[in-house]
């Protein structure tokens, strides 16, 4: 058992059999679910995960299968998890949860038959997709409600399904970066003493709308910008100082703030640099 | 089938195993045709004897239909087991509650809880055994506890952290409405048969923090309406 994402990722890549099952369960615990192995008995799947904090609490029955490189996880596993599922419909689960999901985690890939037969009630996740989920979670901290969007996929989880979840965060970080740039004279982020004086928040909204058009960030709405300004003024982010209806960049160093935000901070700073360069090239 | 015949309680097993039996009927093809206990046993891993003694209970709740040895799921049974098998537990609970709440055993159990609330599980198990006319043998008490769990999971009963059982709030509202209607109707019918004698009537109602004001109002209203017809 390990909560270290790098270790879990490595085990997901290399382990087989019971070790692989253990790595999958550790992955779901890292993702914030309450997961545990079902010590193998007849007619039982490999593990379960529970989301008691979700708005609609749910549980997941997990089947794991790792086969040799060049082979594929077959459709038999779909029948197996469907057959095992009723064993998990005990009184406690029926009382607590609103939904139960069937999840098959496999590597290196699923057969076309397995993919075709998973619909409508089994979600297939390749180990590589689970690794991506761990990476994204390290950065964005998925909630149990967001993870339900993954569990409820009928068929194989694709890159697009994950994008739909992370796009919300990436878009938000893009707007944060644009708000930040609008508060720096000449968009020169390398020089932290070039903070603009207090300016009306509505002026910032107008500038960010202009920048988003120039940088081709789709359809940014003024309410989104106002929400971002509010977020950035919170004592947790502390990127912006606000006074009445005016705002300015706070006097906390941007580097300090981004360092404190971990992986998400790195993405924010990288966008800030990218947008700064592109805007300066255009203006 | 008379109401007496329709009352049956589970035997030997609890709600977990009862659920397995029902879902196994679906998986064995009981959605379309009658299936044998043996087929259900192979899927559910519940013994054929325990399946056999509990079929009558499922029939009494309208979830199975058929005769000894061969049963199929009713439409309600199919809806319930499919929702469960697909993991739509909330939907399954609603389907179950809607389909069993008017069955004699369920109705009488809910009425008992409503009148005596809160009750303990032991009290309720004893009362259900009396309603069903079965002894206190453990095979019945195990089954009846499973039945109580069934009512709790379906949301018809609510058990708090201290084990006090009441009927769920949503159901209380429906029951109160029914009680009001029945009270008014019954009293009005009975009063019409009485001879017309005028005499003063005084009621004393002790009200404390636990008193349900809405119920008091309903009782007073029913009495007033009934007496106005004398």
């Amino acid at each position: 058992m390990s909560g270290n994402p790098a270790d879990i990722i490595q085990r997901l890549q290399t382990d087989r059999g019971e070790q692989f099952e253990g790595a999958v369960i550790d992955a779901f615990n890292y993702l914030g679910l309450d997961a545990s192995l079902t010590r193998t008995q007849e007619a039982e799947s490999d593990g379960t995960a529970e989301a008691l904090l979700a708005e609609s609490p749910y549980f997941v029955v997990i089947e794991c299968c790792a086969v040799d490189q060049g082979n594929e996880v077959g459709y038999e596993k779909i029948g197996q998890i469907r057959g095992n599922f009723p064993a998990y419909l005990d009184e406690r689960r029926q009382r607590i949860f609103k939904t139960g999901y069937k999840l098959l985690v496999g590597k290196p890939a699923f057969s076309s038959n397995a993919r075709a037969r998973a619909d409508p009630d089994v979600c297939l996740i390749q180990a590589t997709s689970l690794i991506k989920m761990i990476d994204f979670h390290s950065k964005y901290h998925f909630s149990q409600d967001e993870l339900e969007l993954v569990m409820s996929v009928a068929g194989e989880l694709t890159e697009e399904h994950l994008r739909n979840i992370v796009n919300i965060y990436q878009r938000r970080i893009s707007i944060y970066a644009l708000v930040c740039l609008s508060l720096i004279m000449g968009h020169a982020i390398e020089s932290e003493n070039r903070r603009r004086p207090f300016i009306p928040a509505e002026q910032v909204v107008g500038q960010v709308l202009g920048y988003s058009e120039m940088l081709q960030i789709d359809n940014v709405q003024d309410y989104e910008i106002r929400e971002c300004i509010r977020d950035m003024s919170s004592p947790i982010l502390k990127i912006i100082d606000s006074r009445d209806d005016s705002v300015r960049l706070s006097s906390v160093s941007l580097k300090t703030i981004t360092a404190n935000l971990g992986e998400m901070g790195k993405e924010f700073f990288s966008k800030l640099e990218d947008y700064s360069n592109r805007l300066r090239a255009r203006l | 089938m008379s109401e007496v015949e329709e009352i049956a309680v589970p035997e030997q097993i609890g709600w977990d195993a009862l659920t397995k039996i029902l879902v196994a009927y679906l998986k064995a093809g009981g959605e379309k045709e009658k299936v044998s206990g043996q087929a259900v046993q192979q899927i559910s891993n519940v013994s054929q004897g325990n399946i056999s003694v509990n079929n009558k209970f499922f029939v009494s709740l309208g979830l199975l239909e058929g005769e000894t040895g061969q049963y199929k799921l009713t439409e309600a049974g199919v809806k319930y087991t499919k929702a469960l098998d697909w993991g739509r537990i909330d939907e399954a609970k609603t389907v179950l509650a809607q389909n069993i709440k008017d069955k004699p055993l369920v109705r009488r159990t809910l009425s008992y809880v409503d009148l005596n609330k809160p009750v303990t599980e032991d009290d309720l198990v004893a009362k259900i055994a009396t309603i069903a006319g079965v002894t206190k043998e453990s095979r019945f008490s195990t089954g009846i506890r499973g039945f109580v769990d069934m009512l709790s999971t379906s949301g018809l009963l609510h058990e708090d952290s201290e084990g006090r059982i009441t009927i769920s709030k949503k159901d209380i509202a429906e029951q109160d409405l029914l009680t009001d209607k029945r009270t008014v109707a019954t009293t009005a019918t009975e009063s019409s048969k009485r001879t017309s004698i005028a005499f003063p009537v005084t009621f004393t109602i002790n009200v404390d923090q636990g008193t349900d004001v809405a119920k008091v109002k309903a009782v007073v209203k029913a009495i007033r309406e009934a007496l106005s017809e004398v």
Side-chain angles (χ1 to χ4, degrees):
Chain A
M1 296 285 280
S2 164
N4 173 351
D7 175 57
I8 296 169
I9 288 171
Q10 205 233 323
R11 287 158 57 212
L12 285 172
Q13 286 166 333
T14 57
D15 285 354
R16 296 278 302 274
E18 282 186 17
Q19 281 70 36
F20 179 66
E21 291 165 14
V24 170
I25 295 304
D26 284 349
F28 282 102
N29 277 315
Y30 176 72
L31 290 170
L33 301 179
D34 187 5
S36 58
L37 278 171
T38 314
R39 273 299 158 204
T40 309
Q41 291 173 23
E42 209 175 319
E44 289 207 359
S45 286
D46 300 321
T48 56
E50 297 184 346
L52 286 158
L53 300 175
E55 196 176 337
S56 295
Y58 59 90
F59 72 94
V60 190
V61 174
I62 305 166
E63 191 73 42
C64 307
C65 185
V67 296
D68 289 335
Q69 278 299 330
N71 288 339
E72 291 175 326
V73 177
Y75 68 86
E76 302 83 3
K77 282 279 168 187
I78 308 270
Q80 201 172 317
I81 194 167
R82 282 190 180 130
N84 292 344
F85 187 74
Y88 294 88
L89 295 168
D90 55 45
E91 184 265 335
R92 176 186 162 272
R93 289 196 176 94
Q94 286 190 55
R95 189 162 35 82
I96 296 175
F97 299 107
K98 292 190 183 283
T99 317
Y101 295 105
K102 306 176 186 92
L103 179 64
L104 174 54
V105 181
K107 71 173 185 179
F110 295 102
S111 70
S112 55
N113 255 338
R115 288 199 300 270
R117 293 184 192 199
D119 191 51
D121 61 336
V122 180
C123 173
L124 307 178
I125 300 187
Q126 278 191 32
T128 49
S129 298
L130 189 54
I131 289 168
K132 270 192 195 122
M133 283 171 69
I134 291 171
D135 280 338
F136 283 138
H137 183 70
S138 302
K139 197 185 284 185
Y140 304 122
H141 314 294
F142 291 143
S143 67
Q144 293 188 346
D145 290 310
E146 286 165 331
L147 288 172
E148 190 175 8
L149 299 174
V150 170
M151 307 305 166
S152 60
V153 167
E156 188 167 15
L157 183 80
T158 62
E159 182 89 21
E160 201 183 339
H161 290 121
L162 290 177
R163 284 263 156 242
N164 286 340
I165 303 175
V166 300
N167 272 350
I168 299 162
Y169 292 96
Q170 292 177 338
R171 181 180 175 83
R172 199 88 172 174
I173 291 168
S174 295
I175 300 173
Y176 287 169
L178 294 180
V179 169
C180 213
L181 285 174
S182 74
L183 297 172
I184 298 173
M185 280 190 273
H187 314 120
I189 57 168
E190 66 279 7
S191 160
E192 292 205 2
N193 59 359
R194 298 187 71 185
R195 286 190 300 155
R196 292 176 73 180
F198 276 102
I199 56 171
E202 283 308 302
Q203 190 179 326
V204 175
V205 172
Q207 279 182 336
V208 171
L209 284 172
Y211 296 161
S212 64
E213 254 178 52
M214 270 190 256
L215 299 172
Q216 297 179 319
I217 300 168
D218 280 349
N219 203 24
V220 174
Q221 303 291 313
D222 49 3
Y223 76 87
E224 290 180 283
I225 304 167
R226 286 191 198 99
E227 281 176 4
C228 287
I229 292 173
R230 199 169 54 234
D231 287 353
M232 295 165 82
S233 312
S234 77
I236 294 174
L237 288 182
K238 222 174 170 180
I239 300 172
I240 285 178
D241 276 344
S242 59
R243 191 173 66 190
D244 300 326
D245 291 330
S246 296
V247 291
R248 70 176 296 179
L249 212 57
S250 83
S251 55
V252 181
S253 152
L254 268 179
K255 281 182 182 155
T256 305
I257 289 169
T258 51
N260 289 342
L261 291 174
E263 289 297 313
M264 208 189 300
K266 282 183 196 163
E267 183 174 335
F268 169 68
F269 204 78
S270 138
K271 283 197 173 172
L272 204 55
E273 282 180 321
D274 175 36
Y275 295 163
S276 164
N277 292 335
R278 285 160 67 189
L279 282 174
R280 282 196 286 180
R282 292 198 56 158
L283 296 172
Chain B
M1 198 183 277
S2 72
E3 184 164 302
V4 175
E5 287 172 315
E6 282 178 43
I7 290 180
V9 289
E11 291 179 42
Q12 303 275 24
I13 53 175
W15 181 228
D16 292 357
L18 289 165
T19 305
K20 283 182 186 172
I21 294 174
L22 269 184
V23 178
Y25 266 105
L26 177 77
K27 294 195 173 272
E31 177 186 1
K32 291 176 183 155
E33 57 189 14
K34 289 178 181 173
V35 293
S36 68
Q38 192 182 3
V40 175
Q41 185 267 323
Q42 282 169 354
I43 294 169
S44 65
N45 282 326
V46 177
S47 78
Q48 219 171 317
N50 282 341
I51 294 167
S52 173
V53 294
N54 286 293
N55 284 331
K56 193 179 160 194
F57 165 68
F58 290 129
V59 171
S60 75
L61 292 186
L63 298 170
L64 283 184
E65 59 192 5
E67 305 89 35
T68 312
Q70 295 279 319
Y71 291 89
K72 75 187 282 261
L73 290 162
T74 59
E75 196 183 326
V78 171
K79 264 192 200 170
Y80 173 61
T81 51
K82 271 194 173 173
L84 267 186
D85 192 38
W86 283 32
R88 295 174 186 164
I89 293 164
D90 217 31
E91 183 186 322
K93 287 178 196 175
T94 307
V95 170
L96 183 65
Q98 279 173 351
N99 283 284
I100 66 170
K101 68 179 180 183
D102 294 325
K103 302 297 176 192
L105 180 63
V106 177
R107 208 178 58 232
R108 290 176 67 177
T109 303
L110 295 182
S111 294
Y112 172 76
V113 175
D114 192 25
L115 286 170
N116 297 281
K117 65 180 176 277
V119 298
T120 64
E121 187 174 336
D122 287 343
D123 285 345
L124 188 55
V125 168
K127 180 65 187 175
I128 293 170
T130 309
I131 294 172
V134 297
T135 63
K136 288 180 180 171
E137 286 174 71
S138 66
R139 66 188 176 115
F140 290 119
S141 57
T142 303
I144 292 171
R145 281 180 204 283
F147 172 65
V148 173
D149 285 341
M150 176 192 202
L151 297 181
S152 295
T153 54
S154 66
L156 290 171
L157 287 182
H158 173 73
E159 186 172 352
D160 69 16
S161 55
E162 289 168 18
R164 290 177 302 197
I165 298 173
T166 52
I167 62 172
S168 72
K169 281 178 185 163
K170 187 181 160 199
D171 212 59
I172 287 170
E174 287 172 7
Q175 290 277 327
D176 280 353
L177 197 63
L178 280 174
T179 312
D180 289 349
K181 282 178 185 166
R182 280 183 201 141
T183 309
V184 172
T186 310
T187 319
T189 312
E190 285 173 1
S191 62
S192 64
K193 294 173 189 167
R194 289 180 195 142
T195 51
S196 183
I197 303 168
F199 58 92
V201 178
T202 307
F203 291 100
T204 304
I205 299 172
N206 295 319
V207 178
D208 61 22
Q209 283 183 328
T211 305
D212 186 337
V213 178
K215 276 197 158 181
V216 173
K217 279 183 184 173
V219 169
V220 171
K221 189 182 167 197
I223 293 168
R224 191 188 300 129
E225 286 178 8
L227 293 181
S228 68
E229 292 180 20
V230 173

